[in-house]
Amino acid sequence: MKVDRNKTGGQAGAVDLIHGPIMKNLLIFMLPILVSYIFQQLYNAVDTAIVGHYLGEQSLAAVGANVAIFDLMVMFAQSLGNGLCIVVSRAFGAGDEEKLRKSVAGSLVIGVATTLVMTVLSLFGLGPLLRALGTPEAIYAEALSYIRIIGGWIVVMFAYNLFSSLLRAIGNSAMSLVFLIISSVLNVILDLILVAGVGMGVRGAAAATVIAQGISAVLCVGYILARARILIPNREDWNCGKALMAELAGQGYAMAFMGSVVNVGSVILQSGINSLGATVIAGHTTARKLFMLCALPNISMGMAISTFVSQNKGAGQRERIIRGVWESYVYDLVCGLFTIVMLFLFADELAVLISGSTNPELIGNTVAYVRFAAVFSGVLGVLHQTRLALQGLGAKFTPLVSSFIELFGKCIFAWSLVPRMGYRAVILCEPLIWCVMAVHLLFAFFTNPYIRGRTPE
């Protein structure tokens, strides 16, 4: 059965990525994703700022000691949802409505089962993990109280990311933004109430994040039920068949493990950062928040490219895929130049704003990190677009290899160079690894059999 475009919610922001001008449509599709990410980072930054302003540097360090663990859990859940939705997007591009609905059903089964297992593992394993990472005793109790709330409700974060990814899979990136804006405003209000008003400490910041994500998930479901009914499985669609479940699991877990391997490396690097003391932890936390805000245009285009490639592969449009990827590289270089100018001019002021601190050591570490990373931000953009384009094509092994390159690089820095060079090694670590990964991924993409025309379209 062919896709009925009237059931896709197109009247409320769906973009046709299969026809028309490539970059114009990519930008229209990408902009709501970018604004969504900005709001996500802003309310993460608000968590950081409120904790720093109202609770002090020690509590800020307690939250910062969890950054890598938080990212590991959230990245696994997000990447799993994004991987599952690549199959949905491909079915949409091919016009196969039955496979699309079955893919949604299978995605829900795999996602819920996986995140429930993650919840159990995280609740029992977070304390030992913080100990293994060398979290300073002075901040251990606060750090554990924060991350246990996040881990206990990881299924909520998965739910929002899956439902918003499903909307993007059918070309609608706008509506999840509307729901995210609402929940972001609520998150700020809850931060002020729970942290500054009620006095819940860092647990209040964690609870505010979970509640905001939960509201976003509920709003996404309501919209799908009302306006995007093509995504609602019928009773018979829950019998997906072994072949489709294997395809979903393969794509979903490949993307999830890729994201997890990257963040395992970040957890290991965090152990090296934790050995440098609470002030360095707080400074690095601020630096990561600031640089992530500047990298969002590249990351958002990566998500758009993944959907673009998936839909166009389903539609059998190889040449359009190649043109779209090349145009995204030009976009990356432009964004990279803007990031360099922005951070070399305003890094000090932004560091003070985000951290709530005027400690010269903390601000100095933050500024040194973001200015060096800015020089390589264009490389990071090319890396993102290429890896997500490969995933959109259905490649599983190559993106995972790139993640292991990052993991091994971070292990070398954390275990060998950070003890000798201190925070300078942390500054050098990721940008140098990005260069190696970008070369590997570019070679893999342009020698991919589908891209070279050696497989049927």
Side-chain angles (χ1 to χ4, degrees):
M1 181 185 296
K2 293 295 183 181
V3 168
D4 181 355
R5 305 283 172 174
N6 292 323
K7 297 193 288 183
T8 64
Q11 299 88 342
V15 179
D16 186 354
L17 296 175
I18 301 173
H19 308 97
I22 293 175
M23 183 49 64
K24 176 183 176 183
N25 287 355
L26 274 173
L27 287 172
I28 293 171
F29 182 72
M30 179 274 295
L31 282 173
I33 300 174
L34 171 60
V35 179
S36 296
Y37 277 136
I38 289 172
F39 270 92
Q40 285 180 323
Q41 291 300 318
L42 282 176
Y43 76 61
N44 286 340
V46 167
D47 283 342
T48 302
I50 290 177
V51 169
H53 280 286
Y54 289 97
L55 302 178
E57 288 184 16
Q58 183 162 304
S59 294
L60 179 61
V63 174
N66 280 304
V67 166
I69 302 174
F70 178 93
D71 288 346
L72 174 62
M73 293 190 298
V74 174
M75 180 59 74
F76 186 93
Q78 287 179 343
S79 299
L80 177 62
N82 290 336
L84 293 168
C85 288
I86 285 174
V87 180
V88 177
S89 185
R90 201 174 300 142
F92 180 80
D96 190 340
E97 184 176 334
E98 181 180 359
K99 183 177 181 180
L100 188 153
R101 292 196 310 270
K102 287 180 178 291
S103 298
V104 173
S107 297
L108 290 169
V109 171
I110 291 171
V112 171
T114 303
T115 51
L116 288 177
V117 171
M118 286 177 62
T119 300
V120 174
L121 291 176
S122 65
L123 290 176
F124 285 99
L126 288 172
L129 182 56
L130 282 173
R131 294 289 188 194
L133 292 175
T135 305
E137 192 62 38
I139 62 174
Y140 173 80
E142 271 192 299
L144 182 59
S145 67
Y146 175 87
I147 200 63
R148 272 189 170 162
I149 293 175
I150 301 295
W153 293 96
I154 193 69
V155 67
V156 172
M157 297 189 180
F158 168 78
Y160 166 69
N161 283 284
L162 176 64
F163 296 137
S164 59
S165 294
L166 286 172
L167 288 172
R168 286 196 296 270
I170 61 172
N172 191 334
S173 58
M175 290 310 300
S176 57
L177 167 62
V178 175
F179 308 140
L180 182 62
I181 290 174
I182 295 170
S183 66
S184 298
V185 173
L186 180 60
N187 183 85
V188 174
I189 295 171
L190 287 171
D191 268 331
L192 292 170
I193 293 173
L194 299 179
V195 176
V198 177
M200 287 180 64
V202 295
R203 292 177 301 156
T209 299
V210 170
I211 293 169
Q213 292 276 314
I215 290 173
S216 296
V218 171
L219 291 172
C220 274
V221 171
Y223 178 80
I224 289 170
L225 290 171
R227 299 295 300 277
R229 298 190 63 82
I230 192 174
L231 294 171
I232 302 173
N234 299 322
R235 181 177 299 179
E236 61 271 17
D237 294 324
W238 293 93
N239 182 17
C240 303
K242 292 181 179 179
L244 181 56
M245 288 297 287
E247 182 182 1
L248 286 163
Q251 192 72 60
Y253 286 127
M255 201 160 178
F257 285 125
M258 182 211 73
S260 297
V261 169
V262 169
N263 281 281
V264 166
S266 297
V267 170
I268 293 170
L269 182 62
Q270 186 69 46
S271 68
I273 296 167
N274 287 354
S275 69
L276 301 176
T279 300
V280 173
I281 295 172
H284 186 68
T285 301
T286 304
R288 291 300 298 268
K289 299 280 188 186
L290 176 53
F291 184 73
M292 278 300 297
L293 281 170
C294 295
L296 289 180
N298 300 116
I299 295 171
S300 303
M301 181 57 75
M303 295 304 300
I305 282 291
S306 177
T307 302
F308 171 84
V309 171
S310 299
Q311 287 192 10
N312 280 280
K313 186 182 180 186
Q317 300 194 109
R318 180 175 63 86
E319 292 297 329
R320 185 175 174 86
I321 290 173
I322 296 171
R323 290 200 307 272
V325 170
W326 273 114
E327 290 183 23
S328 77
Y329 292 159
V330 175
Y331 168 90
D332 290 330
L333 295 178
V334 172
C335 289
L337 289 173
F338 177 80
T339 300
I340 291 171
V341 172
M342 184 76 176
L343 290 179
F344 272 79
L345 290 177
F346 303 113
D348 293 88
E349 293 82 358
L350 291 169
V352 172
L353 178 66
I354 291 175
S355 68
S357 173
T358 55
N359 183 324
E361 181 184 356
L362 188 156
I363 301 302
N365 286 338
T366 298
V367 171
Y369 177 94
V370 297
R371 283 181 174 165
F372 187 73
V375 176
F376 296 85
S377 57
V379 176
L380 179 62
V382 170
L383 186 163
H384 272 292
Q385 305 343 332
T386 311
R387 181 160 60 187
L388 285 160
L390 282 164
Q391 289 169 337
L393 291 173
K396 303 176 181 67
F397 181 72
T398 301
L400 192 58
V401 170
S402 77
S403 301
F404 275 104
I405 292 173
E406 186 166 357
L407 170 62
F408 293 145
K410 286 181 176 177
C411 288
I412 292 170
F413 273 86
W415 295 336
S416 179
L417 298 179
V418 172
R420 298 178 184 180
M421 298 172 60
Y423 194 62
R424 285 178 299 165
V426 178
I427 293 171
L428 293 171
C429 177
E430 289 179 312
L432 298 184
I433 294 171
W434 295 339
C435 294
V436 177
M437 293 170 66
V439 170
H440 166 254
L441 289 165
L442 284 166
F443 177 80
F445 179 79
F446 287 105
T447 58
N448 181 275
Y450 181 84
I451 294 300
R452 299 193 69 178
R454 293 180 179 177
T455 59
E457 297 187 7

